[in-house]
Amino acid sequence: MSDRPASDGAGAAVGAGAAVLADAVAATDASDGVGATASGAGTGPRLPDRPAVPATLWGMVALLACERCLLAAGSGWACALAVAGSVVAAALLARALRRRRALRPCALLVCACLALGAAASAVELASQGATASALGGSSVSSWTLELTGDMSPGELGWRGRARLVRDGRAWSDVWVTCDEPLGIGSRLACVGRFSPNADDEWGASSRAQGLCGTVRVVRVLGCECAEGPYGALLDLRGCVMDSLRPGSSPTRALLAGAVCGSSAHVTSAGLSELFSSCGVSHLVAVSGGHLALLAGMLGGLLGRTGMGPASRSAVMLLVTGAFVGFCGAPVSAVRSWAMTLVAAAAQLAGRRAHPLSSVCAVALVMALLDPGASGQLGFLLSVASVCGICVAGPYLMYLARVLLALPPAPARVPRPLWRAAASLVGASGDALALTLACQVVTMPMSCAAFGTLSLVAPLANLLVGPAFSLLLALGLAAGALFWCPPLQALPLAACDAVASAVLAVLEVVSRVPHAVVPLPLDEAPATVVVLAALAALVACWPRATRRGLVLGAGCVALSLVAAMALPGLLAGPSVCVLDVGQADAILVRDGPRAVLVDAGEADGACARALARHGVWHLDALVVTHLHDDHMGGVGEVGRSVGFDRLLVAEGVDASGLAGGAEVQQLSLGDVVRVGRFSLTAVWPEGPVDGADNEDSLELLLRFEDGARSLVGLLTGDAERDETHDCVADGRVGDLDFLKVGHHGSRVSVREEDLATLRPEVSVASAGEGNRYGHPAPECVEALVGAGSRFLCTMDCGDVTIEPGASGPRVRCSRGPMLQ
């Protein structure tokens, strides 16, 4: 399940090699010499030592999987059965493995983790149920809501996570939505409405994250700031944020995200989709990389004080812990700091730190103490990234060295220069290898959540990783000087320059053709495949040759291209009203030909929806009119799949949307062809500027192929008056399906026109809980009264209409085939 609607780091570990820099350094300690070349002629890079995989890794995987499944299912009986089954399995395994003592500890640990995970899930579900019952039976104003994270802008205003408190007792967490953002740590008394988790995908996702429902704030009665040391840290954070002025420019928004962990300003500045498409969202998710840089700067200062190792470690832990609290204690940063604590304890005890054991132990403890962590995408991606670096990182670095090894220096090239070039190539290969390790291990979760894969993530991390480290160092210096604006001005100017360079590079990288490709995966089987591949790698640990690597990489690339391209190439004719929230996006496709009518909002929903359907490229993108919920996602669609032409109504200026594509204006009667489909413009009747609903392009869709046929009307935000003129003039008649205008508002259709249109199926695109009340009951009643089957994306998900011999065939992504 995904926490992306309100997550600080949705997709944060896609290509997250740089995000866990500290862990990468620790993870590769065991591979000293991986890039060393033996002195003998003809020898290549040395094969690194096989990593030691602790039993706690499999226990952690079992625990997280158990908690996620049980919390998402929401069944207390399932938890009880899981506990009982784990105990029985442990007893049977102990008996069965009497002669294989080496396997017994691992098997028993897995069973124990399953039982503990089931028990923790049962307690969490009971707590959520008790909280929902108590909150549902009382007024929201009798409770106190403590904001535990930054709020993020979204479709329903601002959303954040809060802990419920009453009579000094802490209860479960809830989502909080309101019209204005509230600061992290705020203690809120309000009038509001509570909605428990529904039995749908969003409800299961919220339950898996440890939330029992949503409180919609109607009126704030009182708001107090956090107190004590944590309150002082948050006050300091507020002062630093004010000095950075994150709302003044994208560069300052990036700086605030990097230094203070504020993703809200990054989202407000419109940078989230850019970072996601380039696979660098982790740059603003506080994690190991931030703590490593801070620790390095602090270590340089402490090294000159003459303090002992224990004192330096204590100061380091105290300062880095305070920084984690300063950033709002995101779960990935807490994980990194806990690993630092474990490593410091091991060092003081005279033992060598083992990063893989540390991350597994820390993840186990965190998931047991807070089962909801197992459902938070940021936590899962963070843990998976470190595990990927520890297990596969050294070997992938070895492969990179084999593939990129330079030949002996030519006679005319100075040896020092050649050695420097070899060192640079080797360092670049190491960085790419670590990024690839993170991307492969996190692919099942990220692709299942977002349906896309960033092909440019390794390149983007390689190009901007060093610059971002410089930006973070300068930003920390600027933040420390918040109290003196004249002194702060110089590091801020340097930050602006570096941040501008980072954003410029990312803009260029994001425009690489097919920078992001659709790759929707089913998380469970994909995770099993990745785990099996890692286990096979560790078991075999083979030597590699450059020729073998080239052949293997070519086979893998061809397999991936075939797996992603064939479903789209073989797709049959269909019209799909995509589930993109309170927005519009309709996909018309026939085999490899595809046209998108509207692109939703600038929240990535449309790009993810296209990825779900395996769309690689669009022949054209039609923008019905210039409202954000219809054209906001054009840029994201262009970066993810691209389009050849941008089509708008006659008179509409869309030059700023095209992104290099050809712009064409459609006049009344113009026809657009998509394979065997034709789309005929039936409204507007003359030039418009696209600023109003009545300017919307209305397209009459037709498909005929032997016995199969389909006739439909795509209306954009056009309402009953515009559609009435089309009907009265004879441009539109009997329909198989109607895309209901303006999200199903009360002025979408007229009953007398429905008598002529007679649509068998009517589909409205609307977001769950939207503040407009769409679809309106009057609209639904009129359509149903006319004999039409009414469907809405907020209930049915993606609605696909296919031509049929005896009427349209309808499929819903959250329902069965409808005839």
Side-chain angles (χ1 to χ4, degrees), residues 396-482:
L396 291 181
M397 291 168 64
Y398 160 71
L399 296 184
R401 292 282 180 164
V402 171
L403 189 62
L404 302 175
L406 296 180
R412 296 182 180 181
V413 178
R415 290 183 179 274
L417 180 61
W418 192 255
R419 283 197 296 268
S423 178
L424 178 61
V425 170
S428 300
D430 291 347
L432 289 172
L434 293 176
T435 301
L436 189 59
C438 292
Q439 189 170 27
V440 170
V441 174
T442 59
M443 191 184 299
M445 289 175 286
S446 60
C447 289
F450 308 109
T452 58
L453 174 68
S454 174
L455 296 182
V456 297
L459 175 63
N461 279 274
L462 178 65
L463 293 177
V464 304
F468 183 78
S469 297
L470 176 60
L471 174 65
L472 180 57
L474 292 170
L476 290 172
L481 295 172
F482 76 95

Side-chain angles (χ1 to χ4, degrees), residues 633-653:
V634 169
E636 298 160 356
V637 170
R639 286 192 293 268
S640 62
V641 299
F643 50 88
D644 296 331
R645 296 179 295 160
L646 181 68
L647 308 179
V648 294
E650 182 185 4
V652 174
D653 181 9

Side-chain angles (χ1 to χ4, degrees), residues 91-479:
L92 294 176
L93 280 171
R95 183 179 180 85
L97 296 175
R98 283 181 299 178
R99 296 182 180 180
R100 297 187 179 184
R101 296 183 179 180
L103 296 178
R104 191 187 303 176
C106 182
L108 293 178
L109 178 62
V110 169
C111 291
C113 287
L114 288 174
L116 290 172
S121 300
V123 172
E124 175 63 28
L125 288 173
S127 176
Q128 290 185 28
T131 303
S133 177
L135 187 55
S138 62
S139 63
V140 173
S141 59
S142 64
W143 297 73
T144 299
L145 285 75
E146 295 183 354
L147 272 294
T148 57
D150 285 318
M151 303 191 79
S152 300
E155 182 178 300
L156 301 177
W158 290 81
R159 184 195 298 273
R161 183 173 179 139
R163 182 177 298 109
L164 289 165
V165 178
R166 186 168 69 172
D167 299 329
R169 174 190 168 187
W171 297 61
S172 291
D173 289 4
V174 292
W175 294 121
V176 174
T177 61
C178 55
D179 295 330
E180 298 293 334
L182 301 167
I184 181 175
S186 300
R187 296 172 57 88
L188 182 69
C190 67
V191 176
R193 295 188 296 269
F194 171 69
S195 302
N197 291 326
D199 292 328
D200 56 14
E201 184 180 0
W202 174 252
S205 174
S206 298
R207 189 166 53 245
Q209 296 175 60
L211 298 118
C212 67
T214 301
V215 171
R216 173 65 185 175
V217 176
V218 177
R219 185 172 73 256
V220 176
L221 301 177
C223 185
E224 300 178 355
C225 297
E227 300 176 349
Y230 185 55
L233 281 175
L234 295 180
D235 289 341
L236 176 63
R237 183 187 194 228
C239 293
V240 173
M241 291 271 284
D242 290 342
S243 71
L244 298 180
R245 295 183 293 114
S248 61
S249 67
T251 58
R252 293 298 178 89
L254 173 58
L255 183 61
V259 175
C260 303
S262 172
S263 61
H265 290 95
V266 173
T267 302
S268 299
L271 299 178
S272 295
E273 188 61 28
L274 174 63
F275 290 174
S276 179
S277 63
C278 293
V280 294
S281 298
H282 58 277
L283 294 181
V284 290
V286 179
S287 190
H290 293 67
L291 299 187
L293 185 59
L294 179 61
M297 296 170 64
L298 186 61
L301 297 175
L302 294 177
R304 302 178 181 180
T305 62
M307 298 174 63
S311 299
R312 288 201 303 271
S313 295
V315 173
M316 195 84 70
L317 287 170
L318 181 63
V319 174
T320 53
F323 178 71
V324 170
F326 171 84
C327 293
V331 67
S332 58
V334 173
R335 189 272 311 155
S336 296
W337 184 82
M339 281 190 64
T340 304
L341 177 64
V342 172
Q347 184 179 12
L348 292 176
R351 300 181 59 124
R352 184 177 181 180
H354 188 251
L356 186 55
S357 297
S358 298
V359 70
C360 294
V362 168
L364 276 169
V365 173
M366 291 180 67
L368 283 174
L369 294 177
D370 179 15
S374 64
Q376 297 180 33
L377 189 61
F379 173 74
L380 295 172
L381 294 176
S382 175
V383 171
S385 295
V386 182
C387 292
I389 286 176
C390 293
V391 175
Y395 189 78
L396 291 181
M397 291 168 64
Y398 160 71
L399 296 184
R401 292 282 180 164
V402 171
L403 189 62
L404 302 175
L406 296 180
R412 296 182 180 181
V413 178
R415 290 183 179 274
L417 180 61
W418 192 255
R419 283 197 296 268
S423 178
L424 178 61
V425 170
S428 300
D430 291 347
L432 289 172
L434 293 176
T435 301
L436 189 59
C438 292
Q439 189 170 27
V440 170
V441 174
T442 59
M443 191 184 299
M445 289 175 286
S446 60
C447 289
F450 308 109
T452 58
L453 174 68
S454 174
L455 296 182
V456 297
L459 175 63
N461 279 274
L462 178 65
L463 293 177
V464 304
F468 183 78
S469 297
L470 176 60
L471 174 65
L472 180 57
L474 292 170
L476 290 172

Side-chain angles (χ1 to χ4, degrees), residues 5 32 34 84 96 153 226 278 288 378 441 492 517 532 534 544-545 584 612 650 691 727 734 760:
D32 292 339
V34 73
C278 293
V441 174
L492 278 181
V517 297
L534 289 176
T545 63
D584 263 26
R612 287 197 301 269
E650 182 185 4
V727 173
D734 190 20
E760 293 186 36

